[in-house]
mmCIF file of all heavy atoms in Angstrom:
data_model
loop_
_atom_site.group_PDB
_atom_site.id
_atom_site.type_symbol
_atom_site.label_atom_id
_atom_site.label_comp_id
_atom_site.label_asym_id
_atom_site.label_seq_id
_atom_site.Cartn_x
_atom_site.Cartn_y
_atom_site.Cartn_z
ATOM 1 N N ARG A 100 2.758 -0.422 -5.656
ATOM 2 C CA ARG A 100 3.348 -1.357 -6.628
ATOM 3 C C ARG A 100 4.859 -1.442 -6.438
ATOM 4 O O ARG A 100 5.444 -2.530 -6.538
ATOM 5 C CB ARG A 100 2.990 -0.943 -8.054
ATOM 6 C CG ARG A 100 1.503 -1.104 -8.362
ATOM 7 C CD ARG A 100 1.181 -0.974 -9.841
ATOM 8 N NE ARG A 100 1.767 0.175 -10.475
ATOM 9 C CZ ARG A 100 1.172 1.354 -10.644
ATOM 10 N NH1 ARG A 100 -0.048 1.548 -10.214
ATOM 11 N NH2 ARG A 100 1.791 2.344 -11.258
ATOM 12 N N TYR A 101 5.503 -0.328 -6.141
ATOM 13 C CA TYR A 101 6.940 -0.325 -5.885
ATOM 14 C C TYR A 101 7.253 -1.140 -4.624
ATOM 15 O O TYR A 101 8.200 -1.921 -4.603
ATOM 16 C CB TYR A 101 7.461 1.110 -5.741
ATOM 17 C CG TYR A 101 8.938 1.176 -5.451
ATOM 18 C CD1 TYR A 101 9.865 1.007 -6.467
ATOM 19 C CD2 TYR A 101 9.398 1.371 -4.154
ATOM 20 C CE1 TYR A 101 11.223 1.041 -6.212
ATOM 21 C CE2 TYR A 101 10.752 1.406 -3.883
ATOM 22 C CZ TYR A 101 11.654 1.243 -4.911
ATOM 23 O OH TYR A 101 13.004 1.266 -4.645
ATOM 24 N N TYR A 102 6.458 -0.967 -3.581
ATOM 25 C CA TYR A 102 6.654 -1.718 -2.338
ATOM 26 C C TYR A 102 6.526 -3.215 -2.615
ATOM 27 O O TYR A 102 7.339 -4.015 -2.150
ATOM 28 C CB TYR A 102 5.621 -1.260 -1.297
ATOM 29 C CG TYR A 102 5.808 -1.878 0.066
ATOM 30 C CD1 TYR A 102 6.703 -1.337 0.976
ATOM 31 C CD2 TYR A 102 5.069 -2.988 0.458
ATOM 32 C CE1 TYR A 102 6.869 -1.893 2.238
ATOM 33 C CE2 TYR A 102 5.227 -3.549 1.711
ATOM 34 C CZ TYR A 102 6.127 -2.999 2.601
ATOM 35 O OH TYR A 102 6.294 -3.560 3.836
ATOM 36 N N LEU A 103 5.506 -3.608 -3.376
ATOM 37 C CA LEU A 103 5.342 -5.018 -3.731
ATOM 38 C C LEU A 103 6.538 -5.535 -4.521
ATOM 39 O O LEU A 103 6.972 -6.671 -4.320
ATOM 40 C CB LEU A 103 4.053 -5.212 -4.535
ATOM 41 C CG LEU A 103 2.758 -5.188 -3.733
ATOM 42 C CD1 LEU A 103 1.557 -5.147 -4.670
ATOM 43 C CD2 LEU A 103 2.676 -6.377 -2.789
ATOM 44 N N ALA A 104 7.072 -4.714 -5.410
ATOM 45 C CA ALA A 104 8.260 -5.122 -6.172
ATOM 46 C C ALA A 104 9.433 -5.370 -5.229
ATOM 47 O O ALA A 104 10.205 -6.321 -5.424
ATOM 48 C CB ALA A 104 8.611 -4.054 -7.203
ATOM 49 N N GLU A 105 9.565 -4.546 -4.187
ATOM 50 C CA GLU A 105 10.642 -4.732 -3.211
ATOM 51 C C GLU A 105 10.428 -6.010 -2.396
ATOM 52 O O GLU A 105 11.379 -6.737 -2.104
ATOM 53 C CB GLU A 105 10.743 -3.517 -2.286
ATOM 54 C CG GLU A 105 11.229 -2.262 -2.990
ATOM 55 C CD GLU A 105 12.614 -2.427 -3.579
ATOM 56 O OE1 GLU A 105 13.526 -2.871 -2.856
ATOM 57 O OE2 GLU A 105 12.792 -2.105 -4.777
ATOM 58 N N VAL A 106 9.184 -6.294 -2.038
ATOM 59 C CA VAL A 106 8.875 -7.532 -1.319
ATOM 60 C C VAL A 106 9.250 -8.726 -2.192
ATOM 61 O O VAL A 106 9.908 -9.669 -1.733
ATOM 62 C CB VAL A 106 7.376 -7.592 -0.936
ATOM 63 C CG1 VAL A 106 6.986 -8.975 -0.427
ATOM 64 C CG2 VAL A 106 7.044 -6.531 0.100
ATOM 65 N N ARG A 107 8.895 -8.669 -3.447
ATOM 66 C CA ARG A 107 9.194 -9.784 -4.359
ATOM 67 C C ARG A 107 10.690 -9.908 -4.635
ATOM 68 O O ARG A 107 11.204 -11.014 -4.803
ATOM 69 C CB ARG A 107 8.392 -9.599 -5.651
ATOM 70 C CG ARG A 107 6.903 -9.798 -5.380
ATOM 71 C CD ARG A 107 6.049 -9.391 -6.526
ATOM 72 N NE ARG A 107 4.638 -9.625 -6.199
ATOM 73 C CZ ARG A 107 3.653 -8.906 -6.670
ATOM 74 N NH1 ARG A 107 3.881 -7.917 -7.519
ATOM 75 N NH2 ARG A 107 2.411 -9.163 -6.310
ATOM 76 N N ARG A 108 11.373 -8.784 -4.643
ATOM 77 C CA ARG A 108 12.833 -8.819 -4.797
ATOM 78 C C ARG A 108 13.458 -9.535 -3.600
ATOM 79 O O ARG A 108 14.363 -10.360 -3.762
ATOM 80 C CB ARG A 108 13.365 -7.391 -4.926
ATOM 81 C CG ARG A 108 14.776 -7.307 -5.428
ATOM 82 C CD ARG A 108 15.188 -5.882 -5.790
ATOM 83 N NE ARG A 108 14.439 -5.428 -6.959
ATOM 84 C CZ ARG A 108 13.695 -4.322 -7.009
ATOM 85 N NH1 ARG A 108 13.616 -3.517 -5.978
ATOM 86 N NH2 ARG A 108 13.046 -3.997 -8.099
ATOM 87 N N ALA A 109 12.969 -9.259 -2.406
ATOM 88 C CA ALA A 109 13.465 -9.930 -1.201
ATOM 89 C C ALA A 109 13.153 -11.429 -1.264
ATOM 90 O O ALA A 109 13.983 -12.255 -0.861
ATOM 91 C CB ALA A 109 12.848 -9.303 0.047
#
Side-chain angles (χ1 to χ4, degrees):
R100 292 192 311 266
Y101 179 79
Y102 185 84
L103 284 170
E105 292 299 309
V106 169
R107 291 169 179 149
R108 195 169 292 124

